Amino acid sequence: MEERVEESVTEGESTIEKRDIEAMRKFEEGLDQPMDEEADMLKNTNKEKGLSMWMLLRLSFQSLGIVYGDLGTSPLYVFYNTFPDGINDSEDVIGALSLIIYSLLLIPLIKYVFIVCKANDNGQGGTLAIYSLLCRHANVNLIPNQQRSDENLTTYSRTLVAEGSFAAKTKEWLESRHSKKRALLVIVLLGTCMMIGDGILTPAISVLSATGGIKVNNPNMSTDIVVFVSVVILIGLFSMQHYGTDKVGWLFAPIVLIWFLFIGATGIYNICKHDTRVLKAFSPTYIYVYFRRRGQDGWISLGGILLSITGTEALYADISYFPLQAIQLAFTLFVFPCLLLAYCGQAAYLVNHKEHYKDAFYASIPESVYWPMFIAATGAAIVGSQATISGTYSLIKQAVSHGCFPRVKIVHTSKKFLAQIYCPDINWILMIGCIAVTASFKNQIDIGNAYGTAVMIVMLMTTLLMVLTMILVWRCHWILVLIFAVLSLVVELSYFSAVLLKVNEGGWVPLIIAAFSLLVMFVWHYTTVKKYEFEVYSKVSMSWILGLGPSLGLVRVPGIGLVHTELASGVPHIFSHFITNLPAIHSVVVFVCIKNLPVYTVPEEERFIVKRIGPKTFRMFRCVARYGYKDLHRKDDNFENKLFDNLFSFIQMETMMPSYSNYSNSAYSGNHSHLSRDELICNNNNYDINNNNMVVFSSMLDYPVSTLDTIVSADSPHSATSFSQNYMVDEDEEEGEDELEFLKTCKESGVVHIMGNTVVKARKGSLLPKKIAINYVYRFLAKMCREDSAILHVPHETLLNVGQVFYV
């Protein structure tokens, strides 16, 4: 009988214990609720303005200098790389021309300009833009900081998936395992890294090919002179980048316009003068004849044909600089016809002059316009490099926002167009890489092989991401997806198999560049994720904060303390670390979270969300500042004043609308309001056991009891018991206007930015690769990148760094 009584008592205690834990969990949620209501009130109908016809024509003209320079300079070196050992039969020229025509038709025109470019994130292109789209339509982001309030943004466009549909099944499959999410990120980063390699190789081959025209009239000239001239031009090109894409575009666009007119007119001249039969290359049957005649050599020559479509990948990355309509208009009506005429003209000349395969472009130019064409070619080669350089800047900016790249300096270069940026650090790295490649190889054959490898890997990664985009975002029928995937992969894998045969002839260069870039990105992203997980795990229990009383058990000094954290909910570890070492805090505390979202931009009026934490007597708030990967923290943004404007507006709104207040006196009452500090710790232990990784009170375990006792004792006036009396005070008695005046007075007393100076170390017992990655590689990158205070332009006199060590 006694045993039964004991069992029943034990069961009863267990039931009460579970109720206490559940009540504590609800209490926590009531104290620090999500910001969904505030986000709903901020939501507006922000839409971009349409473009006038005059503006569209102007931007189409500008896009020539930024987007199409790389694609337009391909005629300088395509036929030489296609026939490096000479031309045996004039019919081979017709077959190669047919391959070039249909490559331009299928890849740049149909696939990219009219399909892939539509898979943009509100005008942003590149592999990371597609990744942002996928992150909004499926839970594939490895940093778990998403909230429902983020979905209320006007720029957070997405569509719901129908239950049981092909898209729903694909989404479920993609979200089922962490390894699939990581594999998706690797595909994205690999494409991004190859674009960085593209930014090094494109200027090298374009400028070297253009300056090589000097030797046509001076065969005895040393190759070193050509290389020296190329290096000088490259230094000048990268030195001009700080002027900005807008100014550079206006400077370069006339050059490219003249270039396309020249090559188009020269093509018509050569077709009429040498051989009009080359026009039969528009029949695809000559492709079959070409491969049947040349066999393996014909297949290997695809590596040279591929260079006719290089620059297409940069076109997609550069659509952020110009509207899609402007890019489509410029390519369809001007660029594409001029390129076809240029290649047909060269082919017509080579049919009758097979011995000039090395210098087909310059040899086919009429002598009367040779030097003007040489100047235009050199200028166009310089411009051609601009496409990949600009695209690299955009990708780096997106990678930084996704937590996949160290925080480098990014500068806005145009007040009219937000997407036009400049990265000084990346600019000089690209310049050094270009000079090294140009001086090392000294010929366009090896650089062309390296260039082709980089381009094809980018295209393959884009195709794989496009398949997911068509399924999850566009909701295309699986048959259409299959047709797109099969046609794209057949063409691209054919080219890729050809460039793989030339890996030992220069093709290894982009692989080395990509491997190094991928290592940097992977280490940075991996440590960023682990650092965020540690922040979540070690965040402070709100019950512990409330147990300290309205004064937080500390001396409240005049002023406002802005505590910066990566957490959008909960009290960060840095706060508890600060108050345990310095028993004083400002009269008003605002937890500031700078949050990057997978959207291209966050409208200014929706950027800040403010929420109160705890009772009004605590004077604690949370402010989440949301940014898209296109947004930048500019010095003239006046971040601090905007934050306070939103904070003051929140208090005014709270006063006028009592329901707007997120804090409810009934959120937690009864016996639970009298829990002592020891009972809270006890409940914390039980909660951790029952909920595995769902640690709510975990940070309390990081401190010994003696440490907590130095802050507040269980029987002190500021204990949880005395706090319950303050907690139940009717908040309506305090006027919002008085609180507003109090906040303004505190602001005048001084504002201090409290930031964590965090050192991340690998946990003891970690594997050697992890120790090297975190303790050495990440630490080096963290020292080289910009501090958060520099990004937010926080004055040094208002900055307070709190040192802390994270073991991950």
Side-chain angles (χ1 to χ4, degrees):
M1 185 70 179
E2 291 180 356
E3 291 179 357
R4 291 181 182 178
V5 171
E6 288 178 359
E7 288 178 2
S8 62
V9 169
T10 303
E11 290 176 1
E13 290 177 350
S14 177
T15 303
I16 295 172
E17 204 170 81
K18 290 179 180 179
R19 289 176 182 174
D20 288 346
I21 294 171
E22 180 64 22
M24 185 68 70
R25 185 184 65 79
K26 292 180 179 180
F27 179 47
E28 291 279 340
E29 293 176 355
L31 294 173
D32 194 13
Q33 297 174 357
M35 297 182 168
D36 300 339
E37 183 180 349
E38 285 73 15
D40 288 334
M41 298 191 70
L42 287 174
K43 188 174 181 179
N44 59 25
T45 56
N46 180 68
K47 294 182 180 179
E48 293 189 356
K49 295 180 180 179
L51 295 171
S52 64
M53 180 56 68
W54 169 248
M55 179 61 74
L56 189 62
L57 291 174
R58 174 198 166 190
L59 293 173
S60 297
F61 169 72
Q62 265 192 288
S63 70
L64 294 177
I66 302 299
V67 178
Y68 293 115
D70 184 13
L71 195 61
T73 54
S74 296
L76 287 169
Y77 43 79
V78 168
F79 278 108
Y80 179 29
N81 283 270
T82 303
F83 301 104
D85 301 321
I87 302 172
N88 298 323
D89 193 330
S90 59
E91 288 298 313
D92 292 342
V93 178
I94 305 296
L97 176 61
S98 186
L99 278 169
I100 292 171
I101 291 172
Y102 283 96
S103 295
L104 285 170
L105 179 67
L106 293 175
I107 303 297
L109 182 62
I110 296 178
K111 179 185 175 183
Y112 272 84
V113 172
F114 288 104
I115 299 179
V116 174
C117 284
K118 288 187 177 180
N120 63 81
D121 189 9
N122 289 278
Q124 306 300 302
T127 52
L128 282 165
I130 297 180
Y131 184 64
S132 296
L133 281 173
L134 295 176
C135 286
R136 298 205 300 270
H137 289 80
N139 184 21
V140 294
N141 197 338
L142 293 176
I143 301 180
N145 63 348
Q146 298 85 7
Q147 293 179 306
R148 195 191 70 80
S149 58
D150 300 333
E151 300 173 10
N152 294 329
L153 285 169
T154 53
T155 53
Y156 200 98
S157 57
R158 70 167 187 170
T159 53
L160 298 177
V161 182
E163 194 76 23
S165 63
F166 182 59
K169 293 177 181 177
T170 305
K171 179 175 179 289
E172 184 181 351
W173 174 83
L174 196 59
E175 296 174 346
S176 60
R177 290 189 179 181
H178 197 72
S179 58
K180 295 175 183 177
K181 299 178 184 180
R182 188 175 289 123
L184 177 63
L185 181 64
V186 170
I187 291 173
V188 172
L189 295 183
L190 183 59
T192 304
C193 292
M194 283 298 174
M195 270 301 299
I196 295 174
D198 201 8
I200 293 175
L201 297 170
T202 299
I205 190 172
S206 298
V207 174
L208 188 61
S209 300
T211 54
I214 303 174
K215 295 187 66 176
V216 174
N217 284 350
N218 302 278
N220 297 325
M221 182 179 290
S222 172
T223 303
D224 293 336
I225 296 177
V226 177
V227 173
F228 176 76
V229 173
S230 300
V231 170
V232 171
I233 292 174
L234 287 171
I235 293 174
L237 170 65
F238 285 100
S239 300
M240 293 176 60
Q241 294 302 313
H242 69 279
Y243 289 109
T245 309
D246 190 40
K247 296 181 179 66
V248 171
W250 276 112
L251 176 65
F252 286 170
I255 298 174
V256 179
L257 177 66
I258 294 171
W259 167 252
F260 276 116
L261 291 174
F262 267 16
I263 63 175
T266 304
I268 295 173
Y269 170 81
N270 286 327
I271 292 171
C272 297
K273 180 180 178 180
H274 296 290
D275 198 338
T276 57
R277 292 179 301 167
V278 295
L279 297 178
K280 64 184 180 181
F282 282 90
S283 172
T285 56
Y286 286 91
I287 297 176
Y288 169 74
V289 174
Y290 176 78
F291 286 125
R292 188 182 64 180
R293 183 187 298 109
R294 297 200 67 193
Q296 185 177 357
D297 291 338
W299 193 263
I300 294 175
S301 69
L302 285 175
I305 302 292
L306 167 64
L307 298 180
S308 64
I309 59 174
T310 53
T312 307
E313 76 292 347
L315 178 154
Y316 180 46
D318 283 331
I319 63 173
S320 61
Y321 290 87
F322 303 98
L324 178 58
Q325 300 95 318
I327 291 175
Q328 291 175 332
L329 183 67
F331 186 83
T332 307
L333 301 182
F334 186 68
V335 175
F336 185 62
C338 288
L339 286 175
L340 292 181
L341 290 171
Y343 286 117
C344 289
Q346 283 190 55
Y349 178 84
L350 285 174
V351 166
N352 297 325
H353 304 85
K354 293 188 288 290
E355 66 280 3
H356 288 157
Y357 67 95
K358 284 187 177 181
D359 52 2
F361 177 80
Y362 284 108
S364 63
I365 299 172
E367 292 185 8
S368 58
V369 294
Y370 176 81
W371 286 110
M373 183 66 85
F374 173 77
I375 296 172
T378 305
I382 295 172
V383 177
S385 308
Q386 185 63 45
T388 50
I389 294 172
S390 302
T392 303
Y393 294 158
S394 296
L395 289 177
I396 291 296
K397 173 65 180 73
Q398 294 176 23
V400 170
S401 298
H402 281 85
C404 299
F405 200 83
R407 299 180 299 273
V408 295
K409 185 176 182 179
I410 299 172
V411 181
H412 268 301
T413 58
S414 174
K415 293 182 179 179
K416 297 179 181 178
F417 305 105
L418 187 62
Q420 297 187 3
I421 58 176
Y422 164 65
C423 304
D425 301 330
I426 301 301
N427 183 67
W428 303 125
I429 291 174
L430 293 178
M431 186 188 77
I432 293 171
C434 284
I435 293 173
V437 169
T438 304
S440 300
F441 287 109
K442 298 182 179 180
N443 70 84
Q444 54 181 289
I445 293 294
D446 290 340
I447 300 178
N449 294 336
Y451 189 21
T453 304
V455 169
M456 278 320 306
I457 293 178
V458 173
M459 289 186 175
L460 284 170
M461 298 302 103
T462 303
T463 298
L464 295 177
L465 294 172
M466 275 300 301
V467 170
L468 290 175
T469 303
M470 294 177 74
I471 296 173
L472 296 176
V473 182
W474 293 352
R475 307 286 194 272
C476 294
H477 195 277
W478 67 269
I479 295 179
L480 293 177
V481 177
L482 184 63
I483 292 172
F484 172 82
V486 170
L487 291 178
S488 298
L489 291 176
V490 165
V491 175
E492 291 167 1
L493 287 176
S494 300
Y495 282 123
F496 186 60
S497 64
V499 298
L500 282 180
L501 299 175
K502 299 183 178 182
V503 169
N504 61 337
E505 299 176 12
W508 54 270
V509 174
L511 300 179
I512 296 297
I513 296 173
F516 178 77
S517 302
L518 190 61
L519 174 65
V520 170
M521 289 186 173
F522 183 79
V523 169
W524 186 268
H525 185 266
Y526 173 80
T527 311
T528 300
V529 172
K530 291 298 179 183
K531 183 179 172 182
Y532 181 83
E533 290 176 352
F534 186 92
E535 286 266 19
V536 173
Y537 180 84
S538 61
K539 66 181 180 180
V540 180
S541 166
M542 278 302 303
S543 299
W544 179 69
I545 294 292
L546 294 176
L548 302 179
S551 65
L552 300 181
L554 309 167
V555 178
R556 301 297 289 264
V557 298
I560 298 179
L562 302 181
V563 183
H564 291 259
T565 174
E566 294 183 7
L567 298 178
S569 62
V571 178
H573 177 272
I574 181 179
F575 182 72
S576 61
H577 186 64
F578 176 76
I579 63 177
T580 52
N581 289 277
L582 183 64
I585 195 64
H586 298 84
S587 300
V588 178
V589 177
V590 181
F591 296 104
V592 181
C593 172
I594 308 296
K595 187 176 182 181
N596 291 303
L597 302 179
V599 296
Y600 78 108
T601 187
V602 176
E604 195 66 40
E605 58 271 22
E606 299 180 57
R607 187 173 308 285
F608 293 91
I609 303 181
V610 180
K611 195 82 173 177
R612 185 185 296 277
I613 299 178
K616 288 185 178 182
T617 53
F618 275 57
R619 311 289 189 193
M620 293 175 65
F621 302 89
R622 180 183 313 288
C623 178
V624 178
R626 303 177 293 181
Y627 289 84
Y629 54 81
K630 179 179 168 183
D631 298 324
L632 282 178
H633 305 277
R634 291 185 290 188
K635 194 171 184 178
D636 56 353
D637 279 347
N638 213 345
F639 174 83
E640 186 179 295
N641 285 337
K642 289 182 179 179
L643 187 152
F644 285 122
D645 288 343
N646 282 271
L647 178 59
F648 296 156
S649 298
F650 167 79
I651 293 173
Q652 290 175 337
M653 185 71 69
E654 191 181 43
T655 304
M656 292 184 294
M657 301 172 60
S659 61
Y660 191 67
S661 176
N662 62 298
Y663 184 74
S664 173
N665 287 332
S666 60
Y668 185 60
S669 59
N671 294 330
H672 302 295
S673 64
H674 299 280
L675 287 173
S676 69
R677 172 183 50 77
D678 296 331
E679 289 173 314
L680 288 175
I681 293 176
C682 179
N683 280 340
N684 178 32
N685 292 331
N686 294 331
Y687 192 82
D688 289 342
I689 294 171
N690 293 326
N691 292 273
N692 297 328
N693 296 328
M694 296 298 293
V695 182
V696 178
F697 307 106
S698 62
S699 59
M700 292 180 61
L701 300 177
D702 296 337
Y703 303 97
V705 176
S706 59
T707 304
L708 292 175
D709 288 339
T710 60
I711 302 173
V712 56
S713 60
D715 55 354
S716 70
H718 299 299
S719 65
T721 306
S722 69
F723 162 68
S724 63
Q725 298 170 1
N726 296 323
Y727 180 59
M728 302 302 292
V729 172
D730 188 0
E731 295 174 276
D732 296 333
E733 294 178 1
E734 182 172 320
E735 296 291 335
E737 294 180 2
D738 295 337
E739 184 178 19
L740 199 58
E741 289 300 321
F742 177 77
L743 286 176
K744 290 180 180 179
T745 303
C746 290
K747 182 185 176 185
E748 292 173 358
S749 300
V751 178
V752 175
H753 295 258
I754 303 172
M755 292 185 170
N757 187 8
T758 306
V759 176
V760 183
K761 292 184 178 180
R763 192 177 301 165
K764 291 182 180 180
S766 300
L767 296 176
L768 183 60
K770 182 178 178 179
K771 289 182 178 180
I772 294 174
I774 295 177
N775 295 347
Y776 298 99
V777 178
Y778 178 81
R779 186 178 300 178
F780 173 77
L781 295 174
K783 288 181 179 179
M784 298 300 293
C785 73
R786 304 184 77 205
E787 298 284 345
D788 290 336
S789 57
I791 295 174
L792 295 175
H793 306 286
V794 176
H796 288 289
E797 58 271 17
T798 64
L799 177 63
L800 178 61
N801 277 322
V802 179
Q804 51 185 350
V805 179
F806 286 178
Y807 290 93
V808 299

